[in-house]
């Protein structure tokens, strides 16, 4: 729960929590912690990380450091975190290292914003996302402990809670695999955005784990005619809303076959099908693979900007599939001829784009595995 714009939060916003008597609750916690010289005590470290893990395992939420509360859990005073803004970077570095070492598996997306108070002191507002890799444990160096939020505190997760969350994690993976299978079947059957023909094509997916949480939808109107929402190739295209969300596409003038399209689904999944560069170049020959990789890299960066615009949290899974590709060849950089593709369907490895890596690292297994299908040693486009 956020009661204000997280990025633009000020002392005034924090004071309004006091003035408006905003209770602690399942998604809001006040902590009267004071870090002398920006350093955390062992007592702080353990309790703090348990709180972070509990928020991530439940609905996410906000922790405000430097806020006093009364016995009724009402905020009463901005007491500050005990150090100045100039010491915040050192504190943040220690905090991130603590999250990395004490919470397992690694928790992505925790953000900390310093808020200047009077007297060279700051409060710290911490946003903890609801995790899609839950459950997360607190690791004390010897054992894992699992916590979740209730009302205005934390409690141990029992065996039923843990079973439900582990099943959820497996369920998300299963749903992603099933989504890909269903879409590949629909594409092969020409049941998507129009007639795709039966020639070779590449299918590219960015699939956020967030998209499979019940009720999570994006505002697709935000991408209407957005310049970053574009297919892999071409400089002009049509657009329309459809049953799946919003789609841009381009057709051949002579036969009305779709030559490229990009689909944004209501739940934030992005799907690209590229035909022109794959099968409309020469008979059984794909356009220069190095050029295709460059197009994929540029488009992926743009799609990342689109997902940020739509407030879709990471992790995002990246997949690519070559369809009807048996017997096709390509070249790399205009001269290095490939081997002949030996099967009709080639699935890439899974790339995962998190808050702790960039899109090039996420794309690396995808592009390398597709390059291997042509007999190349890998991509050379992600080294800079």
């Amino acid at each position: 729960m956020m009661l204000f714009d997280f990025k633009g939060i000020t002392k005034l916003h924090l004071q309004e929590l006091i003035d408006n008597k905003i209770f602690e609750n399942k998604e809001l916690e006040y902590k009267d912690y004071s870090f002398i010289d920006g350093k955390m005590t062992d007592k702080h470290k353990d309790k703090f990380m348990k709180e972070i893990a509990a928020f991530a395992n439940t609905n996410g939420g906000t922790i405000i450091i430097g806020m006093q509360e009364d016995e009724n859990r009402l905020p009463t005073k901005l007491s500050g975190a005990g150090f100045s803004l100039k010491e915040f970077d050192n504190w943040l570095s220690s905090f991130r290292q603590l999250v990395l070492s004490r919470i397992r598996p690694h928790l992505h997306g925790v953000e900390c914003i310093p808020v200047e108070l009077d007297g060279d002191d700051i409060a710290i507002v911490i946003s903890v996302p609801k995790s899609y890799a839950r459950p997360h444990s607190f690791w004390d160096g010897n054992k894992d402990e699992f916590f979740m939020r209730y009302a205005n505190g934390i409690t141990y997760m029992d065996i039923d809670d843990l079973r439900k969350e582990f099943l959820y994690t497996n369920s998300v993976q299963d749903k992603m695999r099933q989504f890909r299978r269903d879409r590949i079947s629909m594409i092969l059957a020409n049941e998507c955005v129009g007639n795709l023909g039966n020639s070779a094509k590449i299918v590219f997916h960015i699939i956020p784990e967030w998209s499979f949480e019940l009720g999570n939808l994006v505002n697709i109107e935000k991408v209407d005619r957005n310049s970053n929402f574009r297919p892999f190739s071409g400089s002009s295209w049509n657009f329309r809303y459809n049953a799946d969300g919003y789609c841009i596409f381009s057709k051949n003038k002579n036969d009305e076959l779709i030559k490229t399209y990009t689909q944004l689904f209501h739940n934030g999944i992005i799907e690209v099908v590229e035909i022109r560069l794959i099968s409309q170049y020469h008979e059984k020959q794909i356009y220069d693979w190095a050029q295709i990789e460059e197009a994929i890299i540029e488009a992926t960066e743009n799609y990342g900007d689109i997902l940020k615009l739509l407030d879709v949290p990471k992790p995002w899974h990246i997949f690519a599939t070559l369809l009807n590709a048996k017997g096709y060849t390509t070249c790399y950089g205009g001269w290095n001829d490939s081997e002949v593709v030996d099967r009709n369907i080639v699935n890439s490895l899974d790339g995962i784009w998190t808050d702790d890596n960039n899109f090039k690292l996420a794309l690396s297994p995808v592009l390398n595995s597709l390059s291997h299908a042509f007999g190349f040693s890998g991509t050379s486009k992600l080294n800079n």
Side-chain angles (χ1 to χ4, degrees):
M1 179 188 71
M2 279 304 296
L3 303 174
F4 30 66
D5 175 15
F6 181 71
K7 297 294 186 181
I9 188 171
T10 65
K11 177 187 174 184
L12 179 61
H13 295 112
L14 299 182
Q15 183 61 46
E16 287 176 349
L17 296 175
I18 299 172
D19 297 341
N20 294 327
K21 301 185 186 311
I22 304 299
F23 286 91
E24 277 188 337
N25 55 58
K26 194 174 183 179
E27 298 169 10
L28 178 63
E29 179 79 14
Y30 303 123
K31 289 296 181 188
D32 187 20
Y33 287 164
S34 181
F35 305 105
I36 306 302
D37 296 324
K39 296 180 180 179
M40 299 186 197
T41 65
D42 289 339
K43 179 181 177 181
H44 281 147
K45 290 177 182 178
D46 289 354
K47 187 171 178 58
F48 202 5
M49 291 304 104
K50 289 176 182 178
E51 294 276 5
I52 298 287
F55 271 110
N57 285 337
T58 316
N59 293 327
T62 304
I63 301 173
I64 299 176
I65 305 296
M67 178 77 86
Q68 290 183 5
E69 59 182 312
D70 62 20
E71 64 277 6
N72 297 315
R73 303 267 184 181
L74 280 169
T76 59
K77 179 183 178 182
L78 282 168
S79 53
F83 60 96
S84 67
L85 184 60
K86 65 183 180 182
E87 297 168 303
F88 175 73
D89 286 344
N90 288 335
W91 179 91
L92 183 60
S93 178
S94 297
F95 172 81
R96 286 175 173 166
Q97 183 57 41
L98 201 55
V99 171
L100 185 63
S101 62
R102 296 294 185 91
I103 297 179
R104 307 196 309 183
H106 182 43
L107 175 61
H108 302 285
V110 179
E111 294 189 68
C112 302
I113 297 293
V115 180
E116 291 190 83
L117 307 177
D118 299 328
D120 203 26
D121 202 351
I122 62 171
I124 304 169
V125 181
I126 302 173
S127 174
V128 182
K130 180 179 183 179
S131 176
Y132 296 94
R134 60 187 190 268
H136 295 271
S137 72
F138 165 73
W139 169 249
D140 67 2
N142 296 301
K143 64 182 184 300
D144 290 294
E145 296 179 310
F146 294 86
F147 298 91
M148 62 189 299
R149 291 284 294 180
Y150 75 95
N152 50 18
I154 68 172
T155 186
Y156 283 98
M157 298 178 74
D158 62 27
I159 189 65
D160 290 331
D161 296 322
L162 289 171
R163 182 182 291 114
K164 181 181 71 173
E165 294 306 328
F166 281 120
L167 288 174
Y168 166 81
T169 299
N170 291 333
S171 172
V172 169
Q173 299 299 320
D174 290 341
K175 287 177 180 179
M176 280 194 287
R177 285 191 288 268
Q178 187 60 52
F179 174 84
R180 289 184 67 204
R181 285 194 293 265
D182 290 346
R183 292 302 298 181
I184 294 300
S185 296
M186 292 178 69
I187 290 165
L188 288 172
N190 282 321
E191 294 179 353
C192 294
V193 301
N195 190 354
L196 305 174
N198 298 312
S199 53
K201 51 189 66 71
I202 187 170
V203 182
F204 184 84
H205 285 114
I206 300 181
I207 305 180
E209 293 183 13
W210 175 92
S211 299
F212 295 101
E213 187 84 2
L214 185 65
N216 283 350
L217 301 172
V218 299
N219 180 2
I220 58 176
E221 293 183 4
K222 286 186 176 181
V223 305
D224 193 353
R225 309 191 194 195
N226 186 301
S227 61
N228 282 331
F229 191 64
R230 54 188 300 130
F232 283 168
S233 72
S235 57
S236 63
W237 48 83
N238 297 315
F239 62 90
R240 71 166 181 257
Y241 292 88
N242 60 15
D244 294 315
Y246 181 82
C247 181
I248 56 174
F249 61 95
S250 181
K251 293 182 178 181
N252 290 324
K253 292 182 179 179
N254 55 341
D255 57 14
E256 290 296 300
L257 289 178
I258 298 290
K259 58 184 179 181
T260 186
Y261 80 76
T262 301
Q263 173 76 52
L264 172 67
F265 290 80
H266 290 110
N267 62 1
I269 293 173
I270 293 176
E271 174 181 276
V272 185
V273 174
E274 175 63 34
I275 300 170
R276 186 173 72 90
L277 295 178
I278 304 300
S279 63
Q280 297 179 0
Y281 176 52
H282 293 309
E283 181 70 19
K284 289 288 184 175
Q285 185 176 356
I286 292 171
Y287 189 66
D288 188 332
W289 190 252
Q291 298 290 327
I292 292 177
E293 287 183 337
E294 289 181 355
I296 291 174
I297 292 167
E298 180 182 0
T300 302
E301 185 173 21
N302 289 336
Y303 298 150
D305 291 338
I306 290 294
L307 290 175
K308 290 177 185 176
L309 174 69
L310 296 171
D311 297 319
V312 178
K314 295 171 182 166
W316 306 330
H317 292 253
I318 304 176
F319 308 90
T321 305
L322 288 170
L323 298 181
N324 298 331
K326 187 174 181 178
Y328 276 75
T329 63
T330 187
C331 65
Y332 203 93
W335 59 273
N336 191 5
D337 290 338
S338 77
E339 302 292 337
V340 178
V341 177
D342 61 4
R343 63 197 65 179
N344 272 322
I345 298 179
V346 178
N347 289 311
S348 77
L349 295 177
D350 179 1
I352 304 178
W353 192 351
T354 71
D355 289 305
D356 296 324
N357 68 359
N358 59 41
F359 76 97
K360 290 187 176 181
L361 286 174
L363 265 180
S364 182
V366 178
L367 294 186
N368 278 326
S369 58
L370 290 181
S371 294
H372 295 163
F374 293 105
F376 301 135
S377 61
T379 180
S380 63
K381 299 298 180 181
L382 298 173
N383 298 326
N384 49 41

Short mmCIF file of all heavy atoms in Angstrom, two decimals, residues 132 167-178 207-210 212-213 317:
data_model
loop_
_atom_site.label_atom_id
_atom_site.label_comp_id
_atom_site.label_asym_id
_atom_site.label_seq_id
_atom_site.Cartn_x
_atom_site.Cartn_y
_atom_site.Cartn_z
N TYR A 132 7.26 -12.57 -6.50
CA TYR A 132 6.75 -13.66 -7.32
C TYR A 132 7.72 -14.83 -7.34
O TYR A 132 7.58 -15.75 -8.14
CB TYR A 132 6.41 -13.13 -8.72
CG TYR A 132 5.31 -12.11 -8.63
CD1 TYR A 132 5.60 -10.75 -8.54
CD2 TYR A 132 3.99 -12.51 -8.54
CE1 TYR A 132 4.59 -9.81 -8.38
CE2 TYR A 132 2.98 -11.58 -8.39
CZ TYR A 132 3.28 -10.23 -8.32
OH TYR A 132 2.28 -9.32 -8.15
N LEU A 167 3.72 -24.35 -3.95
CA LEU A 167 2.86 -24.74 -5.06
C LEU A 167 2.61 -23.57 -6.00
O LEU A 167 2.52 -23.74 -7.22
CB LEU A 167 1.53 -25.28 -4.53
CG LEU A 167 1.57 -26.66 -3.88
CD1 LEU A 167 0.22 -27.00 -3.26
CD2 LEU A 167 1.97 -27.73 -4.89
N TYR A 168 2.51 -22.36 -5.43
CA TYR A 168 2.33 -21.17 -6.26
C TYR A 168 3.51 -20.99 -7.20
O TYR A 168 3.32 -20.72 -8.40
CB TYR A 168 2.17 -19.92 -5.39
CG TYR A 168 2.31 -18.64 -6.18
CD1 TYR A 168 1.25 -18.13 -6.92
CD2 TYR A 168 3.54 -17.96 -6.22
CE1 TYR A 168 1.40 -16.98 -7.67
CE2 TYR A 168 3.69 -16.81 -6.97
CZ TYR A 168 2.62 -16.33 -7.69
OH TYR A 168 2.78 -15.19 -8.45
N THR A 169 4.73 -21.13 -6.69
CA THR A 169 5.92 -20.96 -7.52
C THR A 169 5.92 -21.94 -8.67
O THR A 169 6.18 -21.59 -9.82
CB THR A 169 7.19 -21.14 -6.67
OG1 THR A 169 7.20 -20.15 -5.64
CG2 THR A 169 8.45 -20.98 -7.51
N ASN A 170 5.62 -23.21 -8.38
CA ASN A 170 5.56 -24.21 -9.44
C ASN A 170 4.44 -23.90 -10.41
O ASN A 170 4.57 -24.11 -11.62
CB ASN A 170 5.35 -25.60 -8.84
CG ASN A 170 6.56 -26.08 -8.08
OD1 ASN A 170 7.68 -25.69 -8.37
ND2 ASN A 170 6.34 -26.95 -7.10
N SER A 171 3.34 -23.36 -9.89
CA SER A 171 2.20 -23.04 -10.72
C SER A 171 2.54 -21.95 -11.74
O SER A 171 2.13 -22.02 -12.90
CB SER A 171 1.02 -22.59 -9.85
OG SER A 171 -0.03 -22.10 -10.64
N VAL A 172 3.30 -20.93 -11.31
CA VAL A 172 3.69 -19.86 -12.24
C VAL A 172 4.53 -20.42 -13.38
O VAL A 172 4.32 -20.07 -14.56
CB VAL A 172 4.45 -18.75 -11.49
CG1 VAL A 172 5.09 -17.77 -12.47
CG2 VAL A 172 3.51 -18.00 -10.56
N GLN A 173 5.49 -21.28 -13.05
CA GLN A 173 6.31 -21.88 -14.10
C GLN A 173 5.45 -22.70 -15.06
O GLN A 173 5.64 -22.64 -16.29
CB GLN A 173 7.39 -22.76 -13.46
CG GLN A 173 8.34 -22.03 -12.53
CD GLN A 173 9.13 -20.95 -13.23
OE1 GLN A 173 9.57 -21.12 -14.37
NE2 GLN A 173 9.29 -19.82 -12.57
N ASP A 174 4.52 -23.46 -14.52
CA ASP A 174 3.64 -24.26 -15.36
C ASP A 174 2.77 -23.37 -16.25
O ASP A 174 2.54 -23.69 -17.43
CB ASP A 174 2.73 -25.15 -14.50
CG ASP A 174 3.49 -26.28 -13.82
OD1 ASP A 174 4.61 -26.59 -14.27
OD2 ASP A 174 2.96 -26.82 -12.83
N LYS A 175 2.29 -22.27 -15.69
CA LYS A 175 1.44 -21.37 -16.47
C LYS A 175 2.22 -20.72 -17.61
O LYS A 175 1.67 -20.52 -18.70
CB LYS A 175 0.84 -20.30 -15.56
CG LYS A 175 -0.26 -20.82 -14.64
CD LYS A 175 -0.77 -19.73 -13.72
CE LYS A 175 -1.87 -20.25 -12.80
NZ LYS A 175 -2.36 -19.21 -11.87
N MET A 176 3.48 -20.38 -17.37
CA MET A 176 4.30 -19.81 -18.44
C MET A 176 4.50 -20.81 -19.57
O MET A 176 4.38 -20.48 -20.75
CB MET A 176 5.65 -19.34 -17.90
CG MET A 176 5.59 -17.99 -17.21
SD MET A 176 7.22 -17.26 -16.94
CE MET A 176 7.82 -18.30 -15.61
N ARG A 177 4.83 -22.06 -19.19
CA ARG A 177 5.03 -23.09 -20.21
C ARG A 177 3.75 -23.34 -21.00
O ARG A 177 3.78 -23.46 -22.23
CB ARG A 177 5.52 -24.38 -19.55
CG ARG A 177 6.98 -24.33 -19.11
CD ARG A 177 7.46 -25.70 -18.71
NE ARG A 177 6.90 -26.12 -17.44
CZ ARG A 177 7.47 -25.92 -16.26
NH1 ARG A 177 8.65 -25.31 -16.20
NH2 ARG A 177 6.89 -26.33 -15.14
N GLN A 178 2.61 -23.38 -20.28
CA GLN A 178 1.36 -23.63 -20.97
C GLN A 178 0.98 -22.46 -21.87
O GLN A 178 0.46 -22.67 -22.99
CB GLN A 178 0.24 -23.88 -19.95
CG GLN A 178 -1.09 -24.32 -20.58
CD GLN A 178 -0.94 -25.61 -21.34
OE1 GLN A 178 -0.43 -26.60 -20.82
NE2 GLN A 178 -1.39 -25.63 -22.59
N ILE A 207 7.59 -12.47 -20.76
CA ILE A 207 6.50 -12.93 -19.90
C ILE A 207 6.83 -12.59 -18.45
O ILE A 207 7.66 -13.24 -17.81
CB ILE A 207 6.28 -14.45 -20.04
CG1 ILE A 207 6.05 -14.81 -21.52
CG2 ILE A 207 5.11 -14.89 -19.19
CD1 ILE A 207 5.83 -16.30 -21.75
N PRO A 208 6.18 -11.56 -17.90
CA PRO A 208 6.39 -11.25 -16.47
C PRO A 208 5.70 -12.28 -15.58
O PRO A 208 4.58 -12.71 -15.88
CB PRO A 208 5.73 -9.87 -16.32
CG PRO A 208 5.56 -9.33 -17.72
CD PRO A 208 5.35 -10.54 -18.57
N GLU A 209 6.34 -12.65 -14.49
CA GLU A 209 5.67 -13.54 -13.53
C GLU A 209 4.43 -12.86 -12.96
O GLU A 209 3.42 -13.52 -12.66
CB GLU A 209 6.65 -13.92 -12.42
CG GLU A 209 7.80 -14.80 -12.90
CD GLU A 209 8.72 -15.24 -11.78
OE1 GLU A 209 8.36 -15.08 -10.60
OE2 GLU A 209 9.82 -15.76 -12.09
N TRP A 210 4.50 -11.54 -12.83
CA TRP A 210 3.38 -10.75 -12.31
C TRP A 210 2.10 -10.99 -13.11
O TRP A 210 0.99 -10.91 -12.57
CB TRP A 210 3.78 -9.28 -12.39
CG TRP A 210 2.77 -8.25 -12.04
CD1 TRP A 210 2.56 -7.70 -10.81
CD2 TRP A 210 1.85 -7.60 -12.94
NE1 TRP A 210 1.57 -6.74 -10.88
CE2 TRP A 210 1.13 -6.66 -12.17
CE3 TRP A 210 1.59 -7.71 -14.29
CZ2 TRP A 210 0.15 -5.85 -12.73
CZ3 TRP A 210 0.61 -6.91 -14.85
CH2 TRP A 210 -0.09 -6.00 -14.07
N PHE A 212 0.67 -13.53 -14.11
CA PHE A 212 -0.14 -14.70 -13.77
C PHE A 212 -0.78 -14.60 -12.40
O PHE A 212 -1.42 -15.54 -11.94
CB PHE A 212 0.71 -15.96 -13.88
CG PHE A 212 1.17 -16.23 -15.29
CD1 PHE A 212 2.46 -15.91 -15.68
CD2 PHE A 212 0.30 -16.76 -16.22
CE1 PHE A 212 2.87 -16.13 -16.98
CE2 PHE A 212 0.70 -16.99 -17.52
CZ PHE A 212 1.99 -16.67 -17.91
N GLU A 213 -0.60 -13.46 -11.74
CA GLU A 213 -1.30 -13.23 -10.47
C GLU A 213 -2.73 -12.79 -10.79
O GLU A 213 -2.96 -11.87 -11.59
CB GLU A 213 -0.59 -12.14 -9.67
CG GLU A 213 -1.13 -11.95 -8.27
CD GLU A 213 -0.55 -12.93 -7.27
OE1 GLU A 213 0.31 -13.74 -7.66
OE2 GLU A 213 -0.95 -12.89 -6.11
N HIS A 317 10.51 -13.00 -17.95
CA HIS A 317 11.13 -14.13 -18.63
C HIS A 317 11.11 -13.88 -20.14
O HIS A 317 10.10 -13.43 -20.68
CB HIS A 317 10.41 -15.42 -18.29
CG HIS A 317 10.56 -15.83 -16.87
ND1 HIS A 317 11.35 -16.89 -16.47
CD2 HIS A 317 10.03 -15.31 -15.72
CE1 HIS A 317 11.30 -17.00 -15.15
NE2 HIS A 317 10.51 -16.06 -14.67
#
